Amino acid sequence: MKVKFKKLLAVSALTLATGLVLGACSGKKQGGSGNSSSSAKHSIALVTTTTGVNDNSFNQSAWNGFKAYGKEHNLKRGKNGYQYFQSSSDADFEPNFAQAAKAGYQTIFGIGYNLKDAVSAAAKKNPKKNYVIVDEVIKNQKNVASANFKSEQAAYLAGVVAATQTKTNKIGFIGGVRGNIIDLFDAGFTKGVNDQAKKMHKKVTIMNQYAGNFTSVDKGKAIAQSMYAKGADIIFHAAGPVGNGLFQEAKSLNQTRPESKRVWAIGVDVDQSYLGKYKTKSGKQENCILTSVITGVNIAAQDIANRAYAGKFPGGKNLIYGLKDDGVAITRGQISAAAWKNSRTARSKILNGEIKVPIHPEK
């Protein structure tokens, strides 16, 4: 189902202070208050994955959408408003959904495919509550809405940019764990690189490696170190916090290299440029993030919450957010004028059907 938006909401680069991150299963209050009991039917809750609400990824983006929803409707964080429940392990998922329902929240979100079973179980136990699963599809449950993204489209644009802007004609991709979701980024990026390289009569090599998880920063740094050492000058990651290792390596290299030899990283899910700041040997402030492939979880969260607010919760439906609705995008970042122009051309061709972007890598 297509959803139209006026524009992509800005994704905040600010993270919540760690002191606000309270364990939902600890029995501590989640913080915030001041909402009227009459707003309970409009209240929303977020159950995070183990990476938490400050993950520079889906959970953080969803939380930004929650805050935007609260601001739009004059709702505060806390009871009868909006709140998140932090998961320290997978075992926390079901208890957190139970606690969110018991606390009176009406529309409860699970962000990430690994919460699918917990969302489905919670929805069956609480048929009068609304539930949302992001990055998965739950069928045949009328009180569950699914939200997914055409991430391959935005990844394609990043590939076009990378192929245009590379100086070494060697580019890297770091994935987290193989699966349908990361396939979108891998396939789209690879196709974008190859199509643009062919158009420019360039031979571009793509190095592709998976970390095997979404948490090992050291693994991300090691993979990036190897790829940069082999000549890659641009690396895109779709690996959650593993990508922090990529950024660390890019910044470390750039601090010792002349600007003409600088390397780039491409962020994912949210605008990750705030993670790419560094100082050159001369003390000049620079940034190693070329662009970020945006997944509009914030947009989906706010949109679905607004539908519920209006009494039109899309239960039983799978909402697909893509370039057409600004549900996915790339940031302008530090893309060259020529590369940006090429990405805009590619965007138009995707929207008018001239370019078909694959959702799985070629085997």
Side-chain angles (χ1 to χ4, degrees):
M1 178 177 180
K2 305 278 187 181
V3 185
K4 293 184 178 179
F5 295 93
K6 293 182 179 179
K7 61 181 179 179
L8 180 66
L9 299 174
V11 180
S12 169
L14 298 175
T15 57
L16 296 171
T18 53
L20 292 177
V21 182
L22 302 174
C25 295
S26 66
K28 295 180 181 179
K29 292 182 179 179
Q30 287 288 297
S33 61
N35 297 295
S36 167
S37 59
S38 63
S39 67
K41 63 182 179 180
H42 302 311
S43 60
I44 59 175
L46 164 68
V47 175
T48 76
T49 57
T50 56
T51 54
V53 81
N54 293 327
D55 62 354
N56 305 314
S57 188
F58 274 19
N59 290 301
Q60 184 174 325
S61 182
W63 185 240
N64 286 332
F66 271 46
K67 290 186 286 186
Y69 169 79
K71 184 176 182 180
E72 181 180 357
H73 298 290
N74 196 29
L75 294 173
K76 297 179 175 63
R77 180 182 172 189
K79 186 174 176 61
N80 299 326
Y82 64 94
Q83 188 55 276
Y84 73 86
F85 293 78
Q86 184 94 14
S87 300
S88 298
S89 70
D90 290 5
D92 290 340
F93 295 162
E94 289 197 20
N96 280 346
F97 278 109
Q99 185 171 341
K102 185 176 180 181
Y105 292 96
Q106 180 59 32
T107 302
I108 306 171
F109 290 69
I111 308 299
Y113 63 90
N114 49 343
L115 279 82
K116 179 180 180 180
D117 291 343
V119 169
S120 179
K124 289 175 182 177
K125 291 177 183 177
N126 301 281
K128 293 184 178 181
K129 299 283 187 182
N130 302 325
Y131 288 87
V132 182
I133 181 68
V134 173
D135 251 5
E136 251 296 358
V137 179
I138 293 177
K139 299 178 180 179
N140 303 318
Q141 288 187 242
K142 294 183 178 180
N143 63 331
V144 181
S146 303
N148 288 276
F149 303 88
K150 293 185 176 181
S151 299
E152 74 279 4
Q153 294 181 337
Y156 183 96
L157 301 185
V160 168
V161 167
T164 304
Q165 208 154 329
T166 179
K167 293 180 179 179
T168 64
N169 290 337
K170 294 181 180 179
I171 293 169
F173 173 82
I174 301 175
V177 178
R178 294 183 186 277
N180 290 336
I181 300 303
I182 304 304
D183 273 5
L184 300 176
F185 296 96
D186 190 344
F189 184 69
T190 300
K191 178 69 170 173
V193 169
N194 289 337
D195 282 0
Q196 188 61 35
K198 184 177 180 180
K199 185 180 293 187
M200 297 178 71
H201 306 290
K202 296 168 67 172
K203 183 178 180 181
V204 177
T205 300
I206 303 173
M207 304 174 203
N208 184 300
Q209 188 170 343
Y210 280 70
N213 63 71
F214 292 103
T215 57
S216 178
V217 175
D218 288 345
K219 187 70 176 291
K221 184 176 174 65
I223 294 173
Q225 186 177 48
S226 175
M227 288 182 175
Y228 285 133
K230 292 176 181 176
D233 60 349
I234 301 172
I235 300 175
F236 171 43
H237 89 92
V242 169
N244 291 338
L246 163 63
F247 303 150
Q248 289 174 12
E249 183 61 20
K251 289 187 287 186
S252 177
L253 287 175
N254 287 341
Q255 285 168 348
T256 62
R257 290 187 174 193
E259 190 165 340
S260 61
K261 299 284 188 180
R262 73 189 299 183
V263 296
W264 298 100
I266 297 177
V268 76
D269 296 335
V270 299
D271 182 353
Q272 295 191 313
S273 59
Y274 66 103
L275 296 172
K277 297 176 181 178
Y278 68 93
K279 283 186 178 181
T280 63
K281 285 195 297 184
S282 62
K284 183 181 177 183
Q285 288 281 357
E286 288 287 358
N287 198 303
C288 70
I289 307 299
L290 180 61
T291 182
S292 293
V293 174
I294 302 295
T295 305
V297 179
N298 60 323
I299 286 180
Q302 188 176 3
D303 173 56
I304 294 172
N306 277 332
R307 291 174 185 236
Y309 188 96
K312 298 179 180 179
F313 179 73
K317 296 180 179 179
N318 179 26
L319 306 183
I320 307 294
Y321 299 83
L323 286 177
K324 186 175 181 179
D325 2 88
D326 287 332
V328 298
I330 60 172
T331 60
R332 181 64 174 85
Q334 301 186 81
I335 299 173
S336 70
W340 182 251
K341 182 179 179 180
N342 288 343
S343 77
R344 296 302 87 186
T345 299
R347 183 182 188 277
S348 296
K349 289 185 176 181
I350 291 172
L351 290 176
N352 67 24
E354 289 182 61
I355 294 176
K356 302 292 184 182
V357 186
I359 60 174
H360 296 292
E362 292 183 4
K363 294 182 179 180

